[in-house]
Structures are given as structure tokens and as C-alpha cells.
Amino acid sequence: MKPLLLALHDQLGLAAGLAAAIAAEPGATELRRFPDGESLVRIATPVDGRDVVVLAFLDRPDDKFLSLAFLARTARELGARRVGLVVPYLPYMRQDTRFHDGEAVSAACFASLVSREFDWLVTIDPHLHRYDTLAEIYDIPCRIAHAAPLISGWIAAHVDTPLLVGPDAESRQWVGAVARDAGAPAIVLSKTRHGDRSVTIEVPDLARWPDHTPVLVDDIISSGHTLAETVHGLRAAGAPPPVCIGVHGLFAGDAFNLLQKAGAGRILSTNAVPHPSNALDVTGLLAAEIRDLLAGA
Ligand code: R5P
């Protein structure tokens, strides 16, 4: 029997393409909000005895996770064989330690909730910093797909002499992979975070890379201040408008405008988080991991 693909909060209709790529039947779901804000989920396609693949876009996860958990629990109650989660952007990974006394380690709390409701997980470039692997916090099989080949392919097609720039030490893993694929030089800068919307970035002398176009790559663009400060510093050092690429373009509040005002050139992201800046399609990357997981079932 074909697997069934269910989706909630799929505003760009990406589920149809993913269903085709994994030879799954697209299933129907309904999500209704009561006047008091509580939600009611309904699965309108039979799931009994089937592998169920749930596609979820979890930017703004607090608005979406509860209905997602209801969907997974309901699929199990109705007899699904296994229920997997495809979550292109895995939220809460940045709160990976107790930065201040008494704080929740949200990455681990969230992992525990997901592990309770799903049998496996596929995601794109999760923010692995203090954890080396998702297995440290998730109790279910997890597969990670990497956006680096998509990003390096785009750079090869659109930027003549790129200089890859990572804004902080954590970005080294993504920038390094993209630079290797693109055969381009890379530098990783140093960031100090002072608050949610306040960072300083140290920009080095760019004399070694005359005529290069900076291409900033980060895994997450949230408030936009990390990349805006980087753009600002690079422009002040005489660089042309930098291309800004985020794997997960959350673009909270006025982040996109902030980046434009700082002097960025083209700003683009993958469709792991639906946004008008999406220029890189992760469907194929996700599909390869899902097919592999389903085949091993
Ligand atoms: C954290 O280190 C991440 O890799 C990003 O650099 C960070 O989340 C960006 O956040 P913001 O856009 O709010 O500066």
C-alpha cells in the first residue's frame, strides 16, 4: 500500500510535490479553530495499516505544534502503521543549553515531545551547535538532508567571483560545505551577541579578495541582525552588495527590510520556511531521505 502524506499549515502547497516525489498518496486533513482559539484536527483519508508521512512547516512553532501533535496521535489511534514527521525547519534548536539559571533547555524539551508522537523524523540542516547529533535529544530515528549542494549550485549559476562569508563560528559547518562544493574561498567572522536584536560582528580586511562578491550564508535568518550587521561591516570595508542566503529564512518582523536597508544585494532562502525570498527547492533533498527511511521499514 502506498504511504499517505498528510500536511497541516502548508500555505505554499508543497505537499503535492513531495507526495509525487516519494510516490505517496496525498491525504486530506482539516484544521478548524474554535472561537476560543482551540483547534480541531480531522484526517479525512483512511490511515489504517498505512505508513503516514506528516509534512509540517514549524516556523512560529508555538502556533502550530499542538495541532500537529493531535494529528499524529489521531493517525496512530486510527491504525497507522508508522507516523513520520518531515519538518524542513526544526525549531527550538538554538536554546540548546541553560544560558541562565532556571531556563528551559527548549531543544531537549521539544525533542522529547516530538519523540513521543512520531516514529521518525526528517529535516534540513538543523542548528547543531552544542549537540553533535539529533540522537542526543531525539529518541526516534532522525535523518538530516543538507542544503549545501543547492546553495553552491545557485552560486555557481549566479555569482561570478564569490567569497563565501560565515557571520559567526557556528556558520563554519554550512559555509565550509558550500565553499567546498562551489570551489570558492571562505572566511568565517566573529560575532558577539548582546541581545535578541543586538550583535556585533568583526569584519576582517578584505584586501586579499579584490573583485569578489561576498556571499553570506547562515542556517537561520531570524531577526536579521546577524546578517545585517555583517552586510553593514562588509559594505563599510568597501565590498559590493553582498548576496545573503539563509537555509531557514524566518525573517521575523522587519528582518527582510533591515537586510535591504543595510545594503544587501539579492536575499534568498530555501522553501524549508515558506517566504517570498524562497529560491531553492528542498523537495528533492527531503524525498531522498524519506524514501530511504520508508524502504528500511
Ligand atoms: C545562530 O547562531 C544562528 O546560526 C543564526 O546566526 C542566528 O539565529 C541569526 O539570528 P538573527 O537573524 O536574529 O541575528
Side-chain angles (χ1 to χ4, degrees):
M1 209 181 325
K2 274 185 169 186
L4 186 69
L5 188 120
L6 301 178
L8 285 180
H9 319 288
D10 176 24
Q11 65 262 48
L12 295 186
L14 296 175
L18 185 62
I22 62 169
E25 179 190 338
T29 59
E30 291 164 19
L31 173 62
R32 187 161 100 70
R33 293 272 181 198
F34 290 105
D36 55 13
E38 291 184 1
S39 52
L40 177 64
V41 163
R42 175 168 180 255
I43 302 173
T45 309
V47 297
D48 193 19
R50 305 181 78 167
D51 268 307
V52 171
V53 178
V54 177
L55 174 64
F57 293 95
L58 287 188
D59 52 308
R60 278 77 182 171
D62 295 14
D63 296 342
K64 301 177 184 174
F65 182 71
L66 205 52
S67 49
L68 183 70
F70 292 164
L71 181 75
R73 185 73 64 102
T74 305
R76 278 180 203 268
E77 286 171 4
L78 296 178
R81 182 166 169 262
R82 295 195 316 164
V83 184
L85 175 63
V86 180
V87 57
Y89 167 63
L90 188 60
Y92 279 116
M93 288 299 292
R94 286 167 294 172
Q95 183 71 25
D96 56 0
T97 189
R98 221 178 297 288
F99 293 99
H100 302 103
D101 287 351
E103 281 182 354
V105 183
S106 312
C109 296
F110 186 72
S112 147
L113 291 170
V114 169
S115 299
R116 226 179 276 168
E117 302 300 339
F118 292 91
D119 294 301
W120 52 260
L121 176 152
V122 171
T123 191
I124 307 275
D125 289 319
H127 187 82
L128 289 169
H129 178 202
R130 291 175 183 82
Y131 301 117
D132 290 328
T133 66
L134 291 178
E136 289 172 51
I137 47 174
Y138 281 82
D139 299 326
I140 53 176
C142 293
R143 295 289 185 93
I144 295 175
H146 298 286
L150 289 183
I151 296 174
S152 55
W154 187 91
I155 293 170
H158 295 90
V159 186
D160 279 344
T161 317
L163 168 66
L164 273 294
V165 181
D168 55 23
E170 287 130 274
S171 66
R172 185 178 296 280
Q173 53 190 302
W174 299 287
V175 171
V178 172
R180 271 193 304 279
D181 284 358
I187 54 173
V188 174
L189 313 186
S190 169
K191 171 170 94 179
T192 307
R193 184 170 284 284
H194 310 287
D196 290 349
R197 292 182 174 77
S198 173
V199 297
T200 46
I201 307 272
E202 283 172 40
V203 174
D205 181 7
L206 299 174
R208 275 182 62 196
W209 299 280
D211 308 322
H212 282 63
T213 301
V215 180
L216 279 48
V217 177
D218 207 356
D219 62 330
I220 299 171
I221 304 175
S222 179
S223 73
H225 282 272
T226 296
L227 289 195
E229 274 303 304
T230 310
V231 167
H232 194 259
L234 291 167
R235 296 301 308 270
V243 175
C244 293
I245 306 180
V247 178
H248 305 290
L250 300 175
F251 295 109
D254 66 345
F256 195 83
N257 289 338
L258 187 79
L259 264 181
Q260 284 182 317
K261 279 191 194 140
R266 176 85 191 260
I267 303 166
L268 61 143
S269 62
T270 77
N271 56 3
V273 177
H275 187 265
S277 64
N278 291 167
L280 303 168
D281 182 9
V282 297
T283 303
L285 300 175
L286 293 168
E289 299 298 335
I290 300 166
R291 279 194 299 263
D292 213 40
L293 264 164
L294 291 174

